[in-house]
Amino acid sequence: MASRSSDTDADFAAYLAARQASLLRTAYLLTGNRHDAEDLTQTAFAKLYLSWDKVRDRGSIDGYVRRILVNEHNSLWRRAWKRREHPQDQTTFDTAVQDEYDEGRGAALWDLVQTLPRKARAVVVLRYYEEMSESETADALGISVGTVKSQTSRALATLRERTPQTLNPRSTEENDR
């Protein structure tokens, strides 16, 4: 029995090491700040560990843990004490890592995504950041594919309305001519 427990722990530790950074980024995009993202990721991994032996299809673990992330994020906003908190508009310790120079457009775009309602933000993060299909997003969020489509459409329309001209790639291409 002890070897089974150590095998389970080794399997979970390997998964944790491989996926922690990616899931932390997803949590950050859902929450908007690093501290809440770390708490959310830690909670998701704790819940995953408790049910690790029950997961039969190891290929679906990523979807399962993303579902935990979204559900936990949603439950945080349902708690009354959370509604009384007033987050700061700006933090000095969160810095984004840019793979290539984009004149700050990527960070500004994700700042716009943070203004979306939490459900719409979750759909946008899973569809465009995690590059999940509509059906995978629906499974992760526990909603229908039609709901994913409609929330994506509304979220993108909202983002188009809120996006300043300086972030519009078409306007910068026209200016370069």
Side-chain angles (χ1 to χ4, degrees):
M1 189 72 164
S3 67
R4 182 172 186 263
S5 177
S6 64
D7 289 346
T8 299
D9 288 347
D11 287 347
F12 182 79
Y15 178 79
L16 177 72
R19 301 298 296 147
Q20 184 175 16
S22 174
L23 292 169
L24 179 61
R25 284 189 298 269
T26 301
Y28 178 83
L29 293 171
L30 289 171
T31 62
N33 74 65
R34 183 164 180 87
H35 296 293
D36 288 344
E38 288 171 349
D39 289 346
L40 184 61
T41 305
Q42 182 177 5
T43 300
F45 277 122
K47 288 190 172 203
L48 177 63
Y49 180 77
L50 292 174
S51 58
W52 187 255
D53 290 331
K54 297 175 191 169
V55 178
R56 291 191 180 109
D57 181 10
R58 295 295 188 202
S60 65
I61 293 175
D62 284 347
Y64 181 68
V65 76
R66 280 191 200 105
R67 177 87 183 253
I68 294 171
L69 281 173
V70 171
N71 288 345
E72 283 301 307
H73 177 64
N74 289 343
S75 70
L76 283 174
W77 284 102
R78 291 184 186 121
R79 295 182 186 149
W81 62 267
K82 183 68 176 177
R83 289 188 210 117
R84 289 192 298 263
E85 289 186 5
H86 302 287
Q88 296 177 347
D89 290 336
Q90 195 176 65
T91 57
T92 57
F93 45 83
D94 288 340
T95 57
V97 176
Q98 298 292 332
D99 291 338
E100 59 185 59
Y101 184 67
D102 69 351
E103 297 179 355
R105 288 189 191 119
L109 181 62
W110 282 111
D111 287 344
L112 280 173
V113 171
Q114 293 299 317
T115 66
L116 293 172
R118 62 184 168 75
K119 289 181 181 179
R121 185 170 58 237
V123 169
V124 169
V125 167
L126 295 179
R127 287 281 292 127
Y128 297 103
Y129 180 77
E130 288 289 332
E131 298 178 359
M132 295 172 70
S133 69
E134 290 168 342
S135 63
E136 290 171 331
T137 302
D139 288 343
L141 297 174
I143 57 178
S144 71
V145 173
T147 302
V148 169
K149 289 179 181 181
S150 65
Q151 286 186 359
T152 301
S153 176
R154 281 189 224 118
L156 292 177
T158 300
L159 289 173
R160 281 186 203 103
E161 290 173 7
R162 294 179 183 173
T163 303
Q165 279 301 106
T166 57
L167 292 179
N168 186 338
R170 291 185 194 132
S171 69
T172 56
E173 288 172 5
E174 291 169 5
N175 292 340
D176 290 342
R177 292 182 192 172

